[in-house]
Amino acid sequence: MKNIIEINRLNKEFLNPEAERQGESSLKVLKDVSLSVSENEFVTLLGPSGCGKSTLLKLIAGLDATYEGSIFLSGKDLRSNNVPVCYMLQKDCLMPWRTVLSNILMPVEIKKGNLKKAREDIKPLIDEFGLSGFENYLPGKLSGGMRQRVALLRTYLMEGSIMLLDEPFGALDEITRIQMQDWLISVWERHKKTVLFVTHDLDEAIFLSDRVLVMSTRPGTIIKELRIYFARPRSRDMVLDPKFNEYKREILKLLSEG
Ligand SMILES: Nc1ncnc2c1ncn2[C@@H]1O[C@H](COP(=O)(O)OP(=O)(O)OP(=O)(O)O)[C@@H](O)[C@H]1O
Ligand SMILES: [Mg+2]
């Protein structure tokens, strides 16, 4: 199968005062990270806070070009090509003064696309993302789960077939988080995109992914790749399967050795 994301021996460091305080000349954040994600695969990066997950996503999104090693997206070297990706930051970053609809249409606006056509085209998606009737609400008047769905739909409408999602459900309560996972997986199973997902949550990682990449503490590197052998479509019952707990035990062990 075609590798849509291909990363080889990536190293990243920041030159900053924090490093100097620690007696280093720079802060090493990522160390020899190699990974690949094939077309329409759902891969999750799981690792302790500060190990460099968001930094890695920013590099893949092309927002920072100071790294060693290589990043290829759809076969193109990111150093010499501008490859568009759908990227959702760790914070939902909705504009509080814009309505749901105008937040969602921002990528079209930025690209100076046809807004009238886009408004028509996204009607079925507004429904699928559970936002019908709320198009003219301001983000402050939505629930946390709804705000995340607005941000996800906005991300989904960005150009490109690669989705980079940085802890999209991190700020949600347990019940809403579970509902959002069920919803995301059903949308993904229908539409299929290549997804690189970041989370701290073990259950979330196992439930959603084809593969889980476990990272070490900073400088982050991938210490283990686990393939999750649960059939799709996924159902909540899988969390009761002993195999689910085996995956969890293995990941916990890796993180404690980290
Ligand atoms: N722009 C920056 N300049 C300097 N240091 C940075 C910058 N961005 C991140 N760092 C440092 O890099 C390290 C990794 O940060 P990063 O945000 O990638 O971690 P993370 O794995 O996403 O953590 P979390 O799970 O808490 O979101 C941290 O020590 C952070 O202080
Ligand atoms: Mg982060």
Side-chain angles (χ1 to χ4, degrees):
M1 219 188 284
K2 217 163 65 177
N3 279 341
I4 297 294
I5 303 177
E6 176 94 55
I7 294 177
N8 272 306
R9 310 210 57 178
L10 189 70
N11 283 279
K12 168 73 187 168
E13 57 185 34
F14 288 110
L15 301 167
N16 65 11
E18 190 189 331
E20 277 170 29
R21 269 199 301 277
Q22 293 176 8
E24 297 172 54
S25 59
S26 62
L27 189 75
K28 291 195 175 47
V29 176
L30 295 169
K31 182 170 166 268
D32 269 343
V33 172
S34 297
L35 66 92
S36 61
V37 183
S38 56
E39 194 166 15
N40 297 338
E41 201 182 11
F42 197 120
V43 173
T44 292
L45 286 167
L46 182 92
S49 184
C51 76
K53 303 179 295 297
S54 296
T55 303
L56 178 54
L57 252 54
K58 270 183 210 136
L59 295 177
I60 303 172
L63 299 178
D64 182 352
T66 53
Y67 57 85
E68 278 174 27
S70 65
I71 304 176
F72 280 79
L73 301 182
S74 303
K76 290 184 186 150
D77 188 340
L78 209 56
R79 285 195 192 279
S80 41
N81 295 276
N82 181 12
V83 186
V85 297
C86 310
Y87 173 44
M88 183 167 154
L89 292 156
Q90 197 159 348
K91 292 200 193 108
D92 73 27
C93 294
L94 296 177
M95 305 290 171
W97 62 89
R98 281 173 166 247
T99 64
V100 163
L101 192 63
S102 96
N103 262 291
I104 292 169
L105 291 171
M106 270 179 63
V108 183
E109 216 178 301
I110 291 165
K111 273 189 299 180
K112 301 204 182 345
N114 185 339
L115 274 171
K116 208 169 154 202
K117 183 174 177 302
R119 230 174 258 135
E120 279 305 308
D121 289 350
I122 66 162
K123 274 190 181 149
L125 285 167
I126 294 257
D127 198 29
E128 192 166 5
F129 279 62
L131 296 166
S132 281
F134 294 93
E135 293 88 335
N136 295 318
Y137 275 54
L138 293 174
K141 302 243 158 101
L142 301 178
S143 73
M146 288 168 91
R147 268 200 302 277
Q148 290 309 95
R149 287 201 298 271
V150 174
L152 276 163
L153 180 50
R154 186 178 62 184
T155 308
Y156 183 85
L157 292 176
M158 292 174 178
E159 207 183 327
S161 60
I162 300 170
M163 275 197 121
L164 306 173
L165 303 177
D166 195 349
E167 300 205 47
F169 310 143
L172 301 176
D173 64 85
E174 181 78 12
I175 296 171
T176 312
R177 176 189 271 259
I178 287 173
Q179 285 168 347
M180 290 292 291
Q181 290 164 1
D182 288 343
W183 167 81
L184 176 70
I185 208 67
S186 71
V187 171
W188 178 79
E189 276 163 0
R190 275 196 302 280
H191 294 274
K192 288 281 167 91
K193 282 210 184 210
T194 305
V195 179
L196 189 57
F197 188 96
V198 166
T199 185
H200 282 113
D201 186 299
L202 277 69
D203 288 23
E204 180 166 278
I206 303 166
F207 178 65
L208 296 174
S209 317
D210 295 314
R211 277 186 297 138
V212 177
L213 308 177
V214 184
M215 291 181 75
S216 68
T217 50
R218 188 178 63 78
T221 192
I222 290 159
I223 46 178
K224 179 84 178 182
E225 174 200 308
L226 277 119
R227 192 167 282 281
I228 309 297
Y229 290 102
F230 277 105
R232 294 194 185 272
R234 297 264 164 98
S235 98
R236 261 298 135 189
D237 288 348
M238 73 186 253
V239 302
L240 303 171
D241 191 310
K243 229 168 46 183
F244 194 91
N245 276 334
E246 273 170 40
Y247 286 126
K248 228 170 139 171
R249 194 173 305 125
E250 186 169 354
I251 296 173
L252 279 169
K253 188 164 176 280
L254 289 161
L255 291 174
S256 67
E257 289 162 355

